[in-house]
Each structure stands twice: as C-alpha cells, then as structure tokens.
Amino acid sequence: QVQMVESGGGLGQAGGSLRLFCAASGSISSITSMGWYPQTSGKVREWVATITSGGSTSYADSLKGRFTISMNNAKNTLYLQMNSLKPEDTAVYYCRANYPFVAWGQGTQVTVSL
C-alpha cells in the first residue's frame, strides 16, 4: 500500500507564491504517477497537474504555467510550486498516487487573499 500526507498549505496573497508538499510512504516503487487535485466547497475535485514516475509532467490548461509539479530523486516527496496566486486558487489541495490502486492524502488548505 501507499500512503500520502500533504503539508505546506496556508495563507497566501494574490500575486504571491506557496509550495505544497506531499510525502509518499509504503510501496513507493509501485507508484506510476502522482498528481495534485484542488477541491472547493460544494464542487467536485479537479485535476491540475500530474507527474509520472519517469518525470513527465502534464498540467491543466487553465493554469497557464503558474504551477509546477515536481518530485525528489527518491520519488517519495511530491511538490507543487504555486506562483502568481489568485483568489480562485483557494481550495483544499489533495495529492494522489496511482499504483495498482489509488491513494489520496488528507488534503491541505490553501487560502489566497487579495
């Protein structure tokens, strides 16, 4: 099994930056890809970025280059660098690992003020 734990959320200002972290543990070698998914209250969880175990990345078109997903060499820490923050980025951000199954973290709150 794989376990995911997010951290690094908090308060940010419009135009500023935040960095999210997600620690993966367990059967890390079985992970094929990891991603970030924000969810606002009353809405479905969205997808913003994915990174494969080989390091290939993909992003939601709506981000327009503001966010960057990455992972460390050990592939046990996932990052999301959030730049040029907007109030609409406010959400609970979940990390997800895909392996033979799916593992979600507990979420970390990001709040962006004007």
Side-chain angles (χ1 to χ4, degrees), residues 6 20 36-48 67 80 82 88-95 104-111:
E6 300 97 338
L20 305 185
W36 288 98
Y37 295 74
Q39 184 172 22
T40 54
S41 179
K43 295 187 178 182
V44 299
R45 197 167 295 182
E46 300 178 340
W47 166 78
V48 293
F67 293 1
L80 185 67
M82 307 169 67
E88 51 263 43
D89 295 327
T90 296
V92 176
Y93 283 72
Y94 296 88
C95 61
W104 290 96
Q106 82 288 353
T108 185
Q109 177 70 48
V110 170
T111 303

Side-chain angles (χ1 to χ4, degrees), residues 6-99:
E6 300 97 338
S7 61
L11 298 176
Q13 287 192 326
S17 298
L18 283 174
R19 195 179 198 198
L20 305 185
F21 304 83
C22 182
S25 61
S27 301
I28 296 171
S29 61
S30 65
I31 296 175
T32 56
S33 65
M34 295 184 285
W36 288 98
Y37 295 74
Q39 184 172 22
T40 54
S41 179
K43 295 187 178 182
V44 299
R45 197 167 295 182
E46 300 178 340
W47 166 78
V48 293
T50 294
I51 186 166
T52 69
S53 58
S56 297
T57 58
S58 55
Y59 298 91
D61 291 340
S62 60
L63 291 180
K64 296 184 180 179
R66 296 188 298 117
F67 293 1
T68 301
I69 189 171
S70 61
M71 63 184 175
N72 64 350
N73 289 337
K75 300 181 182 179
N76 60 6
T77 305
L78 179 69
Y79 307 97
L80 185 67
Q81 179 66 41
M82 307 169 67
N83 297 330
S84 301
L85 289 169
K86 302 178 179 181
E88 51 263 43
D89 295 327
T90 296
V92 176
Y93 283 72
Y94 296 88
C95 61
R96 165 177 162 163
N98 299 310
Y99 62 117

